[in-house]
Amino acid sequence: MTIVDTTTSASTPSRVEGKNTAMIVCWFLGLGSLVSWNSMLTIGDYYYALFPESYHPSRVLTLVYQPFAFGTIALLAYNEARIDTRKRNLVGYTLFFLSTLALLLLDIGSGGKGGLGNYIGICVLVAAFGVADAHVQGGMVGDLSLMCPEFIQSFFAGLAASGALTSGLRLITKAAFDKSSNGLRKGVLLFLAISTFFEFLCILLYAFIFPKLPIVKHYRAKAASEGSKTVSADLAAAGIQTDAMDKAEDAGRLSLKELFFQNIDYALDLYLIYVLTLSIFPGFLYENTGSHQLGAWYAVVLVAMYNVWDLISRYIPLIECIKLKSRKALMIATLARFLLIPAFYFTAKYGDQGWMIFLTSFLGLTNGYLTVCVMTAAPKGYKGPEQNALGNLLVMFLLGGIFTGVALDWLWLIGNGKF
């Protein structure tokens, strides 16, 4: 098979036109891919006030979310070559919008009351978030993998921005309603309404703006000429006929198995990055860090610091001289992060809130930086159909790492009497 490097000839006018606009749209689409789920994480203090601590809201909701996300992405990744990317992403963003709206209406309809019935309803909506995440994140990463690395970086920066934005809004709404009657709930309702708006915005951006940008049309047409069947609907939406392109030969395309073994280190990097991160965030931060001077603000501040540094770190690889490119160095850095586990344990037991805030910030910093380094390096050197397949495969390992990390997070409860 002839390996094609799609990063060359970047100065071609048809590829440059609309690039900055596309990067902005990618950022917003990344934001919409996780803003609903990050909303759930950020309002954890509300659910701890609403339900008994024995329900372990942050841990249970995360554990509900991940099997649906991982199971769905596994099915979609296996069948990615036959799935229409446009329909897949629009289904995902629409499901995010409807689920976030339903979460808002559920709280309004119940009058902000707890109870097992409402808790189960929230769990069902969280499961829907997981299904939507698998549709959108895998679909978008696969689609952007056959374009330029800057789009991937911008999309993943948007993912992190969803956490920073939700944390910032949460701090503002918590402060604004802190002294008012039932202020915690009022802040959460406003917060969910804003998240619902962002999801609706993403539907419009992906359906009507993104496919019509010249640079996006160029990359998708190129992928179609290389045998990709997943971009046909998006090209049709942009007014490009694909009948001739659909006949392109895809003989010699690498299988998923071959792609996996050629990129096994990248897949393991993403898996291990998120195993470590989700074994600490958010459950440990809400339930295992004790009481400190910040009181009810403590967990909210920790989540905010993680999200802010996760966002900042995703722009660091734009500086070429400090971008980690060596496959061996990426694996060493990923394994070295596991030293954070004893660091968090001893800091929670003996340290003060300042050290915990520092560690949480470092957790976010390394998570975002390594994620972007891996995702922008991996898809190079393949044809369009293979880049799409590899993008889906890497997201599957990313979500698999999150699932494993969420399960391991429960081990922090051993011996502290909270089971």
Side-chain angles (χ1 to χ4, degrees), residues 220-292:
R220 284 175 170 163
K222 184 176 184 297
S225 71
E226 294 171 344
S228 176
K229 307 298 191 297
T230 62
V231 297
S232 299
D234 278 306
L235 286 172
I240 298 177
Q241 297 298 320
T242 60
D243 293 342
M245 295 179 184
D246 286 340
K247 297 178 182 178
E249 293 292 331
D250 59 354
R253 173 185 167 177
L254 294 177
S255 66
L256 277 175
K257 183 178 179 180
E258 290 171 318
L259 283 171
F260 169 68
F261 281 111
Q262 286 187 13
N263 297 275
I264 188 170
D265 55 331
Y266 289 131
L268 288 175
D269 284 339
L270 287 171
Y271 177 80
L272 294 173
I273 288 168
Y274 284 87
V275 165
L276 185 278
T277 298
L278 270 294
S279 67
I280 296 170
F281 178 87
F284 178 87
L285 302 183
Y286 274 108
E287 296 187 14
N288 294 87
T289 52
S291 300
H292 295 273

Side-chain angles (χ1 to χ4, degrees), residues 134-195:
H135 276 78
V136 168
Q137 198 167 164
M140 285 301 303
V141 170
D143 198 20
L144 298 179
S145 292
L146 52 86
M147 302 182 195
C148 57
E150 291 89 342
F151 291 179
I152 286 277
Q153 185 276 328
S154 188
F155 180 79
F156 273 90
L159 289 176
S162 69
L165 177 66
T166 53
S167 291
L169 287 173
R170 186 72 192 100
L171 290 170
I172 292 170
T173 54
K174 186 176 177 66
F177 295 103
D178 194 36
K179 303 299 181 182
S180 65
S181 175
N182 208 15
L184 184 61
R185 179 171 177 253
K186 290 177 182 177
V188 167
L189 292 177
L190 176 60
F191 187 78
L192 291 175
I194 294 172
S195 298

Side-chain angles (χ1 to χ4, degrees), residues 11 13 48 62 78 110 136 146 148 235 249 253 309 318 353 359 381 389 404 409 418:
S11 60
Y48 275 95
T62 309
Y78 183 76
S110 66
V136 168
L146 52 86
C148 57
L235 286 172
E249 293 292 331
R253 173 185 167 177
W309 282 102
L318 291 176
Q353 62 187 24
L359 274 182
T404 306
D409 181 46
K418 289 188 177 182

